[in-house]
Amino acid sequence: MIRLGSNSPTRALILKNFGIDFIQNGGDFDEDSITTTNPKSFCYEATKGKFNELYKKYGIEDMPLLVADSVVTCEGKLLRKAKDLADAKAMLELQSGNKTSVITCMIYKSKEIELIDISITTYEFAQFEKKHMKEYLDSGECFGKAGAIMVEGFCKPYIKKVLGYESCAMGLCVEKLNSHL
């Protein structure tokens, strides 16, 4: 049994699908306190900040702690969670017909090991259909997702090429974690 230090239903589903027993306890680390605009550095700092908060609260005596965070980058720009509809639309327009990378950092700590991993999955997307993009934006599913994308949902039919693990793009590189459990 591990403690998933995340409120993400997608991360919980990944663990469930891989048969990993867990309880879920997210935190409330303020990502806005991070000043870097470098996507990889931001992802690491956010994960480390969340980990430190939850480690102080729960420790690892009862069970190991797993924390993860993801960001999206396109054309070198850091794409976090959309603030509003206009922000989500701008992010999707940037990624449409472009290469987009999802960077996921995870920190897993038990009494025996500490694993820090930064994984990147890169997608080459076809042009998003305007009508489909509007439906997706109107649905609100784009909110709460880094870069406003869902590779397992809206983006799936537009994927031309992928390099990396799909689980990384969904928020937790479970294949790398699983080899240490």
Side-chain angles (χ1 to χ4, degrees):
M1 176 81 74
I2 66 171
R3 182 181 313 278
L4 173 60
S6 169
N7 293 316
S8 166
T10 305
R11 288 190 184 98
L13 183 62
I14 291 169
L15 292 177
K16 184 179 176 191
N17 288 343
F18 271 76
I20 299 170
D21 290 331
F22 67 96
I23 62 167
Q24 192 167 9
N25 299 109
D28 45 326
F29 175 76
D30 179 16
E31 291 183 9
D32 291 331
S33 66
I34 301 171
T35 57
T36 185
T37 57
N38 176 289
K40 194 183 278 186
S41 295
F42 184 94
C43 191
Y44 173 75
E45 288 181 36
T47 306
K48 188 70 173 159
K50 291 173 183 182
F51 178 84
N52 288 342
E53 173 196 347
L54 295 169
Y55 183 77
K56 284 178 192 165
K57 185 173 184 177
Y58 298 108
I60 58 165
E61 292 306 310
D62 295 339
M63 67 186 74
L65 176 62
L66 170 66
V67 177
D69 196 62
S70 298
V71 298
V72 172
T73 182
C74 184
E75 295 183 1
K77 295 179 178 139
L78 172 63
L79 304 178
R80 295 178 56 202
K81 294 172 183 162
K83 296 178 193 93
D84 54 34
L85 203 55
D87 194 27
K89 186 174 188 264
M91 286 186 209
L92 291 174
E93 287 173 345
L94 176 66
Q95 296 173 82
S96 180
N98 212 339
K99 286 184 179 174
T100 294
S101 294
V102 181
I103 303 169
T104 295
C105 179
M106 74 171 159
I107 300 176
Y108 171 82
K109 185 172 178 72
S110 70
K111 293 176 187 173
E112 294 79 30
I113 66 164
E114 182 173 21
L115 169 67
I116 300 173
D117 178 73
I118 297 177
S119 297
I120 299 173
T121 297
T122 301
Y123 290 90
E124 184 179 332
F125 293 127
Q127 287 290 129
F128 300 153
E129 293 174 13
K130 298 261 186 230
K131 182 181 178 205
H132 190 212
M133 190 167 88
K134 183 179 179 342
E135 290 169 356
Y136 175 62
L137 289 166
D138 289 346
S139 77
E141 286 184 294
C142 57
F143 295 106
K145 306 285 184 192
I149 61 169
M150 282 181 66
V151 294
E152 70 277 19
F154 166 76
C155 298
K156 198 164 194 103
Y158 302 104
I159 297 170
K160 290 169 57 175
K161 190 175 175 184
V162 62
L163 179 62
Y165 291 111
E166 185 179 44
S167 68
C168 168
M170 292 173 65
L172 179 64
C173 196
V174 72
E175 292 85 356
K176 290 185 179 180
L177 172 66
N178 212 18
S179 66
H180 294 281
L181 296 180

